[in-house]
Amino acid sequence: MATRRAGERGGELNETAVARLRSRFKGELLRPEDPGYEEARAVWNGMIDRRPALVARCRGVADVIEAVDFGRDEGVEIAVRGGGHNVAGNAVCDDGLAIDLSEMNDVRVDLSTRTVRAGGGATWADVDRETQLFGLATPGGVVSDTGIAGLTLGGGLGHLRRKYGLSCDNLVSVDLVTPDGMFLTASEDEYEDLFWALRGGGGNFGVVTSFEYRLHPVGPEVAGCFVFHPGDEATEGLRFFREYAASAPEEVSVLAFFAFVPDDPTFPEAARGEFALAFLGCYAGPVGEGTDALRPLREFATPLADLSGPMAYTDLQSMLDEDYPEGMEYYWKSQYVDDLSDEIVAQLRDAAATAPSTLSTVDVWQLGGAIDRIGPDESAFGNRGAPYLVTFEANWERPEDREANVRWARDGLAALRRHTSRGAYVNFPGFGEEGEALVRAAYGDNYDRLVEVKSTYDPENAFHLNQNVVPNA
Ligand SMILES: Cc1cc2nc3c(=O)[nH]c(=O)nc-3n(C[C@H](O)[C@H](O)[C@H](O)COP(=O)(O)OP(=O)(O)OC[C@H]3O[C@@H](n4cnc5c(N)ncnc54)[C@H](O)[C@@H]3O)c2cc1C
């Protein structure tokens, strides 16, 4: 197994090969000296500072094939960028080639099949905008400027998850350029093994040029819940959430999180900066029914702030966007758990209340419902059956606070892991520093089959800047 390393060629590119690529490429090719390069190498997480030797901004499948062929033939490290929102910053590399799909973001709804096809560089805002024209949606994430590619390939948890499943569960087909430059369409009927692996197995198998998803009737208005309860009710609040979640209909998908109320005019002045337990969620069904179903979350205590109510689905989808500006520093790690024991509740609350940054949160994602209607071995996605995912989101502004914030998330996760034998979610991987251990635990019993598929399609591990499944030698 040949695994290319960053800087193997010292950042030197073969100029004849670059000139040949330039003569065939329709999109932009950016070198460090070119205007636009600095912007092209920046990703969402401001902690990531990598300098690819070449950024290939593809305009179509033919460009992607040219770029993959170049990267492979020249033996340079290859990074792939969808929405550029991966916390670990894997969309860029040092010295190698960054294949950037951000301009391949076309979205087309097909009403006859009730599906949508979206380019590998689209964001959830791009997809929701087009599908909501028809009162339809496919499950995405909870922040609209996240890329559909990385999110879907790793699974995809959003506001519709318990009613309609993960993003990857809604895939009908995937167009892919393989490491040997072949274009293929994987679905239930073609390249079934690859299609199985693409549903959760991450960016291990090539460059996805477009995704086709099933659509469902959603909105345009939904019942949304976004309420902050006072910090002195936080422990009791998460215990209450545990009871609520156990019996909630699957139309309800809620995220409970400990946070400090943002210093933002959207919130009452008295509440700003207060420690709180928030519930954020949605009812994927009639607004009236949803208002009733979500009411207990709002009425559990006297809220510090309550932004709940009927709202446009697209507003719900973008409600958190401003909380995650590009260029700030972020370190997110996660762990599936089987229950929320009183001990875990207390641990999470205490960790959140003592976070070194008031921008950080500890999140508990309610799972189950449609996610568990797909068998654990029907797709690569691991840890189905877990009722909750816990995420430590360290978010801070100043580079000098980096160490304390990263340590906070690591310590919190380490304490939580003493209570569970489950793994992590690959889309919240920290820096990916746990390597194979994290990947194995994330996929569990599906890991060996993923290795087989990886060994078939990417035996040289050309695509390894991801939560890497290492092929057999
Ligand atoms: C603000 C924010 C909110 C988030 N919210 C959610 C959420 O609600 N639910 C959830 O499940 N996750 C969420 N995430 C995590 C998210 O799923 C991952 O960060 C994901 O990697 C983002 O995808 P991207 O395309 O934007 O990232 P990129 O950094 O562009 O890509 C990440 C990786 O995906 C692979 N990849 C990207 N594009 C392609 C492609 N076209 N073909 C093949 N491989 C590709 C590559 O391996 C790449 O390194 C969130 C992240 C952020 C930053």
Side-chain angles (χ1 to χ4, degrees):
M1 190 268 302
T3 300
R4 284 156 228 187
R5 295 184 306 277
E8 199 165 272
R9 298 178 60 105
E12 299 283 318
L13 292 180
N14 172 345
E15 293 304 330
T16 311
V18 174
R20 192 170 56 240
L21 175 64
R22 209 176 274 288
S23 70
R24 297 175 177 184
F25 205 76
K26 196 168 159 208
E28 246 181 321
L29 290 174
L30 294 161
R31 306 289 293 271
E33 61 277 14
D34 290 332
Y37 171 83
E38 289 300 323
E39 180 242 324
R41 77 179 182 91
V43 290
W44 165 80
N45 190 346
M47 223 190 318
I48 308 300
D49 179 22
R50 298 193 189 133
R51 303 186 65 82
L54 182 63
V55 178
R57 245 191 204 153
C58 303
R59 290 258 171 82
V61 174
D63 275 358
V64 175
I65 292 173
E66 293 292 350
V68 169
D69 285 349
F70 171 87
R72 184 199 56 241
D73 293 346
E74 293 305 307
V76 294
E77 183 148 60
I78 301 175
V80 183
R81 180 191 190 115
H85 269 57
N86 190 263
V87 183
N90 285 330
V92 278
C93 52
D94 275 323
D95 300 328
L97 167 69
I99 302 180
D100 178 348
L101 275 86
S102 56
E103 291 189 357
M104 291 176 61
N105 58 359
D106 279 355
V107 178
R108 186 176 191 284
V109 173
D110 184 338
L111 285 179
S112 67
T113 54
R114 217 194 244 185
T115 57
V116 60
R117 182 169 282 287
T123 63
W124 286 108
D126 297 327
V127 173
D128 291 338
R129 181 173 158 79
E130 297 301 322
T131 60
Q132 279 293 285
L133 278 179
F134 308 99
L136 298 170
T138 197
V142 303
V143 173
S144 80
D145 46 19
T146 314
I148 66 167
L151 188 139
T152 302
L153 291 168
L157 298 167
H159 288 303
L160 307 176
R161 61 192 178 276
R162 285 169 33 84
K163 176 69 175 171
Y164 297 121
L166 305 168
S167 305
C168 72
D169 297 341
N170 285 275
L171 283 172
V172 176
S173 70
V174 177
D175 283 354
L176 182 91
V177 174
T178 63
D180 55 6
M182 190 173 90
F183 175 77
L184 56 78
T185 300
S187 69
E188 291 283 5
D189 306 316
E190 293 171 281
Y191 301 99
E192 300 95 309
D193 55 344
L194 185 57
F195 189 58
W196 175 88
L198 288 166
R199 285 173 291 158
N204 274 287
F205 307 97
V207 183
V208 175
T209 55
S210 74
F211 296 89
E212 184 187 8
Y213 301 92
R214 262 184 293 282
L215 290 170
H216 309 277
V218 175
E221 195 168 67
V222 291
C225 171
F226 194 26
V227 58
F228 286 75
H229 291 296
D232 52 13
E233 304 278 0
T235 305
E236 204 40 53
L238 196 58
R239 290 190 192 144
F240 158 80
F241 172 72
R242 178 177 68 194
E243 306 309 318
Y244 173 87
S247 59
E250 65 184 34
E251 281 77 9
V252 168
S253 297
V254 178
L255 178 61
F257 60 98
F258 296 108
F260 293 86
V261 178
D263 185 15
D264 178 304
T266 323
F267 297 92
E269 203 169 342
R272 292 179 213 158
E274 291 293 309
F275 182 64
L277 174 70
F279 298 126
L280 169 70
C282 152
Y283 187 89
V287 173
E289 249 177 62
T291 303
D292 291 342
L294 297 170
R295 186 171 292 119
L297 294 167
R298 303 171 63 187
E299 294 185 349
F300 148 75
T302 305
L304 290 170
D306 189 358
L307 309 181
S308 311
M311 58 185 80
Y313 176 69
T314 47
D315 287 345
L316 176 75
Q317 286 288 89
S318 54
M319 191 172 249
L320 298 182
D321 288 11
E322 283 182 13
D323 294 338
Y324 299 106
E326 287 205 19
M328 222 170 78
E329 302 208 344
Y330 303 94
Y331 179 83
W332 297 359
K333 280 182 95 87
S334 66
Q335 183 69 33
Y336 291 97
V337 296
D338 281 309
D339 62 11
L340 284 178
S341 65
D342 286 351
E343 204 182 337
I344 291 180
V345 168
Q347 215 172 66
L348 300 182
R349 185 245 165 240
D350 292 350
T354 55
S357 163
T358 55
L359 300 172
S360 297
T361 63
V362 176
D363 309 347
V364 180
W365 297 72
Q366 179 196 12
L367 304 176
I371 300 171
D372 296 346
R373 279 205 296 277
I374 297 198
D377 58 356
E378 283 181 54
S379 71
F381 184 80
N383 285 286
R384 280 192 205 267
Y388 304 106
L389 175 74
V390 174
T391 307
F392 279 75
E393 271 192 20
N395 310 318
W396 68 98
E397 285 172 318
R398 302 180 318 166
E400 55 269 38
D401 297 333
R402 190 174 290 172
E403 197 190 322
N405 282 283
V406 170
R407 193 174 343 105
W408 169 77
R410 284 185 178 155
D411 289 351
L413 238 286
L416 180 63
R417 283 182 178 170
R418 290 200 276 276
H419 302 280
T420 173
S421 56
R422 287 189 178 270
Y425 174 37
V426 289
N427 277 345
F428 299 136
F431 299 132
E433 67 274 24
E434 289 178 71
E436 192 177 333
L438 180 137
V439 179
R440 274 183 183 275
Y443 293 115
D445 291 343
N446 289 333
Y447 181 77
D448 289 345
R449 185 169 168 194
L450 267 175
V451 172
E452 292 301 317
V453 180
K454 176 78 173 177
S455 306
T456 304
Y457 289 93
D458 188 16
E460 300 284 314
N461 209 4
F463 291 89
H464 64 267
L465 285 177
N466 42 48
Q467 300 319 304
N468 195 222
V469 175
V470 180
N472 289 320

